[in-house]
């Protein structure tokens, strides 16, 4: 039941994180008129079908089909779309297209993404929208390509800096096509805008963390029947975490690692019932045990963030942690009946899974609850099944 509830909560949070996008300043163009507004940045991979927008100081969110607008732009981003009428070659029917603007100037370059791949279009001085011609197909074990766009560029973008030798090696790739159109606009002393330069950038963050864990253990040992109970242990811990925010989906995804240190002490009772083969009877042994150790943990995880507003955000982060025993005291067994004591080192390193949920205020201060349902520290003679709930506070250093 708990596992199903945890899976349901994680799925719900993932959906919310993915769906959360912020409204950013921009404008839509309708019937040639620019309308300033806030547009919901959804990090489109293809041309949007619906645009969500609202006006400043208003809570009402408006939703409209993208084709109701001549275009839209979100300021300081790569997301500028325009509607263009396109007449294909060979008397194919004309169509209206919603195109992503890559370069805008005397010569403009556009991109259209579909399930079949990327296509590029352009406008030169005549203002007519044309497709950059490119075909590829596999014949036998070879890839055959037709680079018709090279001739188009040489003919329509006449410039001393664009030579035949340069075009002979030009690939049908966004970055290289953008460079050619930028070169032409600069060669023509024309004003232009390269929207591809507006990119989400990754960022490193460093956090100082402190907290404690509520740790419970039940253990089975080698033998026919064994029961072990251990009381909760509440160690203090300190941690340093480094996070890299990925430049995708409006920086909502990040990866992180770090190191944490804690001093732990586990105490409990071991009851072992072992069958004696010669008699068929069971021998019962009762032991008290205790162990103290210093634990160094190195987590590696993925973080999904949900921004409520500029000051408040929530996140979830699943991952794995490698636990390394820095130092340990001997594992002490004390027999109930004859006070026999056995001193042996039983601790070993372990790898465990964890899942956490957290909150941040102004991206500076944070709190997180992290749950570890798997084994964290292995004891060679014993096989612990442990549950740890870690509560941590964090402060962003940079």
């Amino acid at each position: 039941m708990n596992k199903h509830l945890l899976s349901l909560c994680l799925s719900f949070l993932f959906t919310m994180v993915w769906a959360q996008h912020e409204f950013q300043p921009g404008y839509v163009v309708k019937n040639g008129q620019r309308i300033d507004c806030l547009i919901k940045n959804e990090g489109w991979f293809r041309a949007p079908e619906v645009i969500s927008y609202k006006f400043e100081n208003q809570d009402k969110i408006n939703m409209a089909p993208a084709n109701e607008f001549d275009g839209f732009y979100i300021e300081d981003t790569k997301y500028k779309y325009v509607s263009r009428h396109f007449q294909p070659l060979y008397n194919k029917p004309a169509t209206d297209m919603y195109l992503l603007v890559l370069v805008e100037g005397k010569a403009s370059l556009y991109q259209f993404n579909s399930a079949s791949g990327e296509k590029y279009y352009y406008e030169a001085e005549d203002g007519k929208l044309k497709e950059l011609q490119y075909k590829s197909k596999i014949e036998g074990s070879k890839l055959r390509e037709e680079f018709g766009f090279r001739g188009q560029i040489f003919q329509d973008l006449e410039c001393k800096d664009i030579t035949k030798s340069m075009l002979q090696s030009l690939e049908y790739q966004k970055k290289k096509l953008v460079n050619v159109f930028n070169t032409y606009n600069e060669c023509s002393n024309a004003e232009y805008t390269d929207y591809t330069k507006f990119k989400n950038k990754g960022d490193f963050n460093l956090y100082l963390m402190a907290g404690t864990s509520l740790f419970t253990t039940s253990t089975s040992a080698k033998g026919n029947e064994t029961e072990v109970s251990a009381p909760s242990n509440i160690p203090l811990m300190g941690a340093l975490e480094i996070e890299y925010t990925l430049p995708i989906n409006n920086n909502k995804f990040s990866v992180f690692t770090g190191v944490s240190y804690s001093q732990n002490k586990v105490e409990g009772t071991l009851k072992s019932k072992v069958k004696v083969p010669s008699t068929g009877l069971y021998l019962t042994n009762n032991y008290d045990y205790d162990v103290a150790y210093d634990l160094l943990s190195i987590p590696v995880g993925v973080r999904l963030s949900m921004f409520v507003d500029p000051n408040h955000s929530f996140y979830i982060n699943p991952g794995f942690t490698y636990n390394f025993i820095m130092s340990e005291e001997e594992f002490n067994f004390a027999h109930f009946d004859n006070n026999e004591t056995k001193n042996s080192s039983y601790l070993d390193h372990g790898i465990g899974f964890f899942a956490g949920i957290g909150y941040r205020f102004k991206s500076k201060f944070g709190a997180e609850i992290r749950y570890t349902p798997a084994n964290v520290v292995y004891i060679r003679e014993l096989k612990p099944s442990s549950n740890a709930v870690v509560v941590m506070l964090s402060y962003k250093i940079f």
Side-chain angles (χ1 to χ4, degrees):
M1 180 67 180
N2 290 337
K3 291 183 178 179
H4 291 300
L5 182 60
L6 178 62
S7 299
L8 182 63
C9 291
L10 291 176
S11 299
F12 174 72
L13 285 171
F14 180 85
T15 302
M16 290 187 67
V17 168
W18 186 265
Q20 286 292 317
H21 301 279
E22 55 186 320
F23 284 83
Q24 297 175 249
Y27 63 84
V28 296
V29 179
K30 190 170 185 178
N31 300 323
Q33 181 181 2
R34 169 174 165 160
I35 304 172
D36 293 324
C37 59
L38 301 174
I39 302 175
K40 188 177 182 180
N41 186 343
E42 300 193 35
W44 301 274
F45 293 106
R46 299 179 185 174
E49 297 181 356
V50 176
I51 298 174
S52 300
Y53 66 98
K54 64 181 182 178
F55 298 102
E56 201 162 358
N57 300 323
Q58 293 185 11
D59 294 329
K60 181 183 177 182
I61 297 175
N62 304 288
M63 300 180 66
N67 58 18
E68 284 191 7
F69 302 104
D70 304 329
F72 72 91
Y73 177 53
I74 301 178
E75 294 178 6
D76 298 324
T77 73
K78 62 182 180 181
Y79 299 112
K80 181 170 186 177
Y81 282 89
V82 294
S83 178
R84 288 289 187 270
H85 186 73
F86 177 58
Q87 176 63 62
L89 299 174
Y90 313 116
N91 296 321
K92 293 182 179 180
T95 182
D96 291 324
M97 306 183 69
Y98 226 63
L99 301 173
L100 177 66
V101 183
L102 302 179
V103 178
E104 188 175 49
K106 185 177 180 180
S108 298
L109 178 65
Y110 307 98
Q111 179 180 342
F112 181 79
N113 288 343
S114 67
S116 59
E118 299 175 346
K119 291 186 177 181
Y120 298 96
Y121 299 80
Y122 74 103
E123 289 175 338
E125 289 187 76
D126 60 7
K128 184 178 180 180
L129 184 68
K130 302 175 185 178
E131 181 181 353
L132 286 172
Q133 299 297 320
Y134 171 76
K135 293 182 180 179
S136 66
K137 61 180 179 179
I138 297 177
E139 293 183 348
S141 59
K142 296 182 179 180
L143 176 65
R144 181 182 174 184
E145 297 176 283
E146 297 179 9
F147 302 97
F149 67 93
R150 294 173 179 173
Q152 291 175 284
I153 292 175
F154 185 74
Q155 179 179 341
D156 292 340
L157 305 185
E158 187 176 348
C159 167
K160 62 181 178 60
D161 295 330
I162 300 177
T163 63
K164 280 187 177 181
S165 59
M166 182 184 77
L167 294 176
Q168 284 176 353
S169 60
L170 180 63
E171 299 293 331
Y172 192 74
Q173 298 174 2
K174 178 167 68 175
K175 183 177 180 179
K176 295 182 179 181
L177 292 173
V178 166
N179 289 338
V180 170
F181 276 76
N182 288 345
T183 298
Y184 173 77
N185 286 311
E186 291 171 2
C187 180
S188 304
N189 294 318
E191 292 186 2
Y192 73 96
T193 303
D194 177 2
Y195 290 98
T196 66
K197 71 179 182 181
F198 297 108
K199 297 180 180 179
N200 289 337
K201 296 182 179 180
D203 191 23
F204 282 98
N205 303 308
L206 184 65
Y207 297 95
L208 184 64
M209 309 177 76
T212 186
S213 64
L214 304 176
F215 184 73
T216 60
T217 302
S218 62
T219 309
S220 64
K222 294 180 180 179
N224 291 341
E225 294 183 19
T226 304
E227 294 180 1
V228 174
S229 60
S232 296
N233 179 43
I234 308 179
L236 297 178
M237 61 185 300
L240 198 63
E241 179 184 282
I242 185 167
E243 174 191 48
Y244 178 68
T245 304
L246 300 173
I248 58 174
N249 199 240
N250 295 326
N251 299 112
K252 293 192 169 52
F253 287 79
S254 60
V255 293
F256 66 92
T257 186
V259 60
S260 67
Y261 172 78
S262 62
Q263 293 182 330
N264 300 267
K265 184 176 178 62
V266 181
E267 300 175 345
T269 301
L270 185 150
K271 299 179 181 179
S272 178
K273 183 185 291 185
V274 181
K275 186 176 182 179
V276 180
S278 60
T279 64
L281 301 176
Y282 285 89
L283 177 64
T284 301
N285 292 308
N286 297 296
Y287 296 94
D288 277 344
Y289 71 89
D290 65 85
V291 60
Y293 57 92
D294 296 340
L295 179 65
L296 190 71
S297 298
I298 302 176
V300 177
V302 179
R303 182 164 290 145
L304 311 174
S305 298
M306 177 180 65
F307 298 95
V308 179
D309 57 42
N311 292 329
H312 306 277
S313 66
F314 294 90
Y315 63 84
I316 59 173
N317 45 214
F320 293 88
T321 181
Y322 178 74
N323 301 285
F324 183 76
I325 305 299
M326 295 291 293
S327 64
E328 61 180 272
E329 296 179 6
E330 291 182 331
F331 200 124
N332 298 314
F333 278 108
H335 199 286
F336 278 6
D337 300 325
N338 56 19
N339 293 322
E340 175 190 1
T341 299
K342 298 180 180 180
N343 298 321
S344 301
S345 177
Y346 286 85
L347 289 175
D348 201 355
H349 313 308
I351 297 178
F353 167 78
F354 68 84
I357 180 171
Y359 163 78
R360 286 212 176 105
F361 176 66
K362 293 186 176 181
S363 299
K364 197 73 174 178
F365 306 95
E368 178 181 339
I369 298 176
R370 189 172 291 179
Y371 174 62
T372 304
N375 295 332
V376 195
V377 176
Y378 290 94
I379 305 173
R380 295 189 187 107
E381 291 294 325
L382 305 174
K383 299 177 180 179
S385 174
S386 59
N387 294 278
V389 177
V390 180
V391 181
M392 293 182 292
L393 301 178
S394 64
Y395 173 78
K396 183 178 177 181
I397 300 174
F398 64 80

